C-alpha cells in the first residue's frame, strides 16, 4: 500500500503540517524519514495518506483551507509591534474587523489596500482583505472579530465559510460573524536576575522528613526552602507536581502524569490541613493511626506511593467532611476557586470519581463514559456529586498550600522561591487524554531521537498536542497548562523546551529511532509562555539539552528565556571541559541532573555500570567506561591545575571542588542537588527504561546506601559543606 503512494505527494503533505522529511542526527549525519513514518504521523493529524488517491485528495483540500477561514483561528503579535491580518469573505462583500480586549473594550481595525484575485472554493468566489492590528494592543488573550452584513452573505456562503449568526433587535437580517484568538505577548521576559544566585534541586517525594506521611510534601518543601534561605539560597527547583491517577497502582514517574493542569494530592501536608480545618477528636485519632502507618515505611529502601496515597485519600475524605461543616469563609473561598477553574476542574474531578468506579484506564471503560461530553458522564456526575466535589476540594487545598509555601520562602528571603517543573506531556490513559480528545494526537507518542546518552532513542509514551488543534483552539489548552504551572511559583522550568518548537513523534509499534520531528508555531508557543509568566511575575527556564536547533537557542536568547547547562555535557571547542567563565549568563547551570547519577555516583561511573547491566550501550563496555573515565579525569585534572584538589583527592573532595568551580561560572542561576547533599550515589531515573530499573522509587541514601530523611540530611556535615561550596560571589 505504501509503495503506491507518490513520494513527492507525501513530501508536500508533510511540509504543509510541519512534518520533517529529513533531519541531522546527533552524530551530524543526514537522515531521511521513511514514507511509512510520514503516513503514520499524517494519520495522527487525521490526514489519510494510505493510498495515492487519498493523499492527493488531502493535498487538494489543503489548497482551499485558508480561503474557507474568514479570520485566522489564531493571530499572534508582540506588545509594541503591529501586525497584519488577512480576512476572507465572498467576493464583493463588506467586512469590518475589530479586537475585543480581554479586560473589556473594543478596538476597530483599519483596512489596508490589498488586491488579489478571487479564489474559487467549490464554486464560491472568495476575496481577500487585509487589516492592521496596531502596536497599541495591550498584552492579553483577546478575540479578533470579523463582522459581515447578513444581507450580502448567501446561504451557500454561510455553509462554505466558518461563520456564525446573531440577531439584533429590529434588524431584518442577522449579523454574520467569524471569531479568532489574538495573543498579544510580551516581546521578552521582564524578570531580571541581576546577580548570580544559587538554589536547591529536589525530587520532593524523596525529601521525606520524620513528620512526613511516606512522601515529601509541601510542608517538607517549606522546611527545605527555609533551611536553604538561611544559607543564602534563592530558589528550590522541584519535580513536576502534576497529578497521577487516583487509583493504584500509581505511575511513579512525575514526568508521566495523568494531567498537567491539576496537582498531585499526595503533596498535601495533612498536619497543615488540620491546622486550617479543625477536626473532631475521633477523626484526629484516626489521622494519627494513618500517619503512623505511612511513617513505618521511612526506613525501607523504596518509596511507597500507593500506600501513602491510600492513607492520605482516607485522611482527606475525613478532612473534607469537616470542611463542609466548618468555616464558612473557607468554604466560600472554595466556591470561588471552583468558579475560577470552571469546566476543566469539574471534568478532572469527574474523571477521578469515574476512575474509582471503572478503573484507571479510561480506554477500558464502557463506550458511553469515554468522553466528558457524553450524556452518561453527565448523569454519573450528578449521581456522584459529593465525590466530584471532594476531588475539586482537594485541588483547592493543594493550590492553597502551594501558594502558602511560596509565600513562606519569599518571606524567608528567597528572591525566586519555588521553581516548578513542567513535564513534556501526559499519560495516554489519563485525565487530559480523556478530556482533551480534540487536542491530542492519537497513534503516536512523544520521545527523543538517539543521542550520546540514550543511543537507542527514547519513547516517553505521551500523546502530543496537535499543532493544528492548538491553532484552531487559540492555544487555550497550552494556556491552561501554563497558568496552572505558574500558580504558587516564582519560576518555571520547561522540561524539553524544544517541544515548543518541535517534538519527536514516534508512531505506535515503531522503535524510537523511527520517528520524525513535527514543528510547532514557536511564536505562538513562546508568546503564550511569556504572557502567562508576565502575569505570574515569574522567571522562565528552558531545558535545552540534547539535539537542539539553532533557532531554539536564538529565540530563547532574544526573548530572555533562560537555558540549561549540565556540567557533564559542556565542552570547549577543543573538546576539553567548559570553563566556568564560558557558561551562558541567562542560564541555570548544574553539576548533575535527575537523569544522571548524583555527582559522586557519576565520578564512580555508576551510570556506565547500570546501562551495561540493562543492555543500553551501543558499544563495548570497555570503550564506554574508558570514554567516561576520560571525561572524569579531565575534570579532575582541571581541578588539580586550579589548585582546588590534590592528585589523590577523594570522591567527596572532588564533589565539593566541582560545586565550588561551578559556583564561579557566569550562569546567573546555579542549582545544587539534594542528592549531592546526602552523598547519594544512585540515580533516581535511568532514561530508556521502564521497569528494568527502579525509576522514581528510590529514597535518598548516603554513600553506603543507608536511607536518609530530610531532617538527617539538613543536619549533616556533607550538606553544609556542599552548600558552602555552592555560594555565589555577589
Amino acid at each position: 500500500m505504501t509503495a503506491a503512494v507518490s513520494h513527492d505527494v507525501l513530501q508536500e503533505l508533510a511540509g504543509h503540517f510541519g512534518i520533517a522529511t529529513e533531519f541531522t542526527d546527533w552524530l551530524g549525519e543526514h537522515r531521511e524519514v521513511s514514507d511509512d513514518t510520514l503516513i503514520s504521523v499524517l494519520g495522527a493529524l487525521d490526514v489519510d495518506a494510505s493510498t495515492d488517491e487519498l493523499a492527493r485528495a488531502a493535498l487538494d483540500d489543503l489548497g482551499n483551507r485558508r480561503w474557507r477561514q474568514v479570520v485566522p483561528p489564531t493571530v499572534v503579535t508582540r506588545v509594541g509591534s503591529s501586525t497584519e491580518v488577512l480576512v476572507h469573505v465572498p467576493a464583493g462583500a463588506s467586512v469590518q474587523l475589530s479586537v475585543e480586549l480581554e479586560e473589556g473594550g473594543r478596538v476597530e481595525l483599519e483596512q489596508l489596500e490589498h488586491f488579489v484575485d478571487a479564489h474559487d472554493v467549490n464554486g464560491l468566489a472568495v476575496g481577500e482583505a487585509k487589516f492592521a492590528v496596531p502596536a497599541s494592543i495591550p498584552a492579553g488573550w483577546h478575540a479578533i472579530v470579523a463582522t459581515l452584513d447578513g444581507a450580502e452573505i448567501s446561504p451557500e456562503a454561510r455553509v462554505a465559510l466558518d461563520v456564525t449568526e446573531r440577531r439584533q433587535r429590529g434588524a431584518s437580517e442577522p449579523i454574520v460573524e467569524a471569531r479568532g484568538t489574538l495573543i498579544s505577548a510580551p516581546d521578552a521576559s521582564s524578570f531580571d536576575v541581576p546577580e548570580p544566585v544559587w538554589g536547591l534541586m529536589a525530587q520532593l517525594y524523596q525529601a521525606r522528613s520524620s513528620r512526613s506521611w511516606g512522601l515529601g510534601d509541601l510542608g517538607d518543601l517549606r522546611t527545605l526552602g527555609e533551611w536553604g534561605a538561611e544559607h543564602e539560597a534563592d530558589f528550590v527547583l522541584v519535580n513536576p507536581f502534576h497529578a497521577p491517577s487516583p487509583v493504584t497502582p500509581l505511575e511513579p514517574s512525575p514526568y508521566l502524569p495523568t494531567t498537567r493542569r491539576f496537582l498531585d494530592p499526595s503533596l498535601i501536608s495533612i498536619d497543615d490541613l488540620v491546622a486550617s480545618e479543625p477536626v473532631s477528636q475521633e477523626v484526629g485519632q484516626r489521622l494519627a493511626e494513618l500517619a503512623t502507618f505511612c511513617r513505618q515505611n521511612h526506613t525501607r529502601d523504596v518509596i511507597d506511593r500507593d500506600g501513602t496515597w491510600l492513607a492520605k485519600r482516607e485522611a482527606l475524605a475525613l478532612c473534607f467532611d469537616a470542611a463542609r461543616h466548618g468555616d464558612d469563609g473557607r468554604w466560600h473561598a472554595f466556591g470561588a476557586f471552583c468558579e475560577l477553574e470552571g469546566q476543566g476542574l469539574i471534568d478532572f474531578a469527574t474523571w477521578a470519581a469515574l476512575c474509582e468506579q471503572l478503573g484507571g484506564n479510561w480506554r477500558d471503560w464502557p463506550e458511553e463514559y469515554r468522553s466528558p461530553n457524553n450524556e452518561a458522564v453527565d448523569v454519573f456526575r450528578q449521581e456522584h456529586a459529593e465525590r466530584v466535589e471532594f476531588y475539586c476540594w482537594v485541588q483547592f487545598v493543594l493550590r492553597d498550600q502551594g501558594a502558602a509555601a511560596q509565600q513562606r520562602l519569599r518571606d524567608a528571603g528567597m528572591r525566586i522561591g519555588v521553581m516548578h517543573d513542567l513535564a513534556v506531556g501526559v499519560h495516554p490513559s489519563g485525565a487530559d487524554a480523556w478530556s482533551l480528545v480534540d487536542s491530542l494526537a492519537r497513534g503516536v507518542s512523544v520521545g527523543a531521537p538517539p543521542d550520546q546518552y540514550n543511543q537507542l532513542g527514547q519513547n516517553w509514551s505521551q500523546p502530543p498536542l496537535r499543532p493544528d488543534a492548538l491553532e484552531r483552539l487559540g492555544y487555550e489548552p497550552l494556556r491552561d497548562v501554563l497558568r496552572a504551572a505558574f500558580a504558587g511559583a516564582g519560576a518555571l522550568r520547561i522540561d524539553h523546551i524544544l517541544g515548543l518548537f518541535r517534538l519527536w513523534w514516534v508512531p505506535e509499534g515503531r522503535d524510537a529511532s523511527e520517528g520524525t520531528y513535527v514543528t510547532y508555531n514557536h511564536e505562538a508557543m513562546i508568546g503564550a509562555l511569556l504572557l502567562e509568566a508576565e502575569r505570574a511575575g515569574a522567571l522562565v527556564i528552558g531545558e535545552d539539552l540534547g539535539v537542539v536547533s539553532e533557532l531554539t537557542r536564538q529565540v530563547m536568547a532574544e526573548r530572555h528565556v533562560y537555558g540549561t547547562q549540565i556540567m557533564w555535557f559542556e565542552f570547549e571547542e577543543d573538546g576539553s571541559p567548559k570553563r566556568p567563565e564560558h557558561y551562558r549568563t541567562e542560564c541555570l547551570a548544574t553539576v548533575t541532573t535527575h537523569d544522571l547519577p548524583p555527582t559522586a555516583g557519576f565520578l564512580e561511573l555508576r551510570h556506565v555500570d547500570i546501562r551495561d547491566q540493562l543492555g543500553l550501550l551501543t558499544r563495548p563496555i570497555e570503550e564506554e567506561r574508558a570514554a567516561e573515565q576520560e571525561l572524569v579525569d579531565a575534570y579532575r585534572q582541571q581541578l588539580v591545575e586550579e589548585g582546588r584538589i590534590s592528585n589523590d583527592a577523594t570522591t567527596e573532595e572532588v564533589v565539593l571542588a566541582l560545586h565550588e568551580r561551578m559556583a564561579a561560572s557566569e550562569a546567573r542561576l546555579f542549582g545544587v542537588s539534594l542528592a549531592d547533599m546526602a552523598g547519594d550515589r544512585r540515580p533516581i531515573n535511568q532514561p530508556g527504561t521502564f521497569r528494568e530499573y527502579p525509576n522514581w522509587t528510590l529514597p535518598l541514601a548516603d554513600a553506603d546506601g543507608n536511607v536518609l530523611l530530610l531532617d538527617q540530611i539538613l543536619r549533616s556535615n556533607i550538606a553544609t559543606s556542599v552548600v558552602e561550596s555552592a555560594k555565589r560571589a555577589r
Side-chain angles (χ1 to χ4, degrees), residues 65-104:
R65 180 168 296 183
R66 75 179 185 91
W67 290 92
R68 290 196 297 265
Q69 297 172 340
V70 176
V71 294
T74 301
V75 176
V76 184
T77 188
R78 300 192 193 186
V79 174
S81 299
S82 60
T83 192
E84 297 173 347
V85 180
L86 296 177
V87 176
H88 299 103
V89 296
S94 58
V95 60
Q96 289 80 44
L97 199 66
S98 61
V99 173
E100 290 182 359
L101 299 175
E102 182 180 13
E103 299 300 325

Side-chain angles (χ1 to χ4, degrees), residues 70 189 259 301 321 439 442 515 554 589 656 723:
V70 176
S189 172
T259 175
D301 195 25
D321 187 61
S439 306
R442 309 295 170 178
Q554 289 171 3
L656 296 180
V723 300

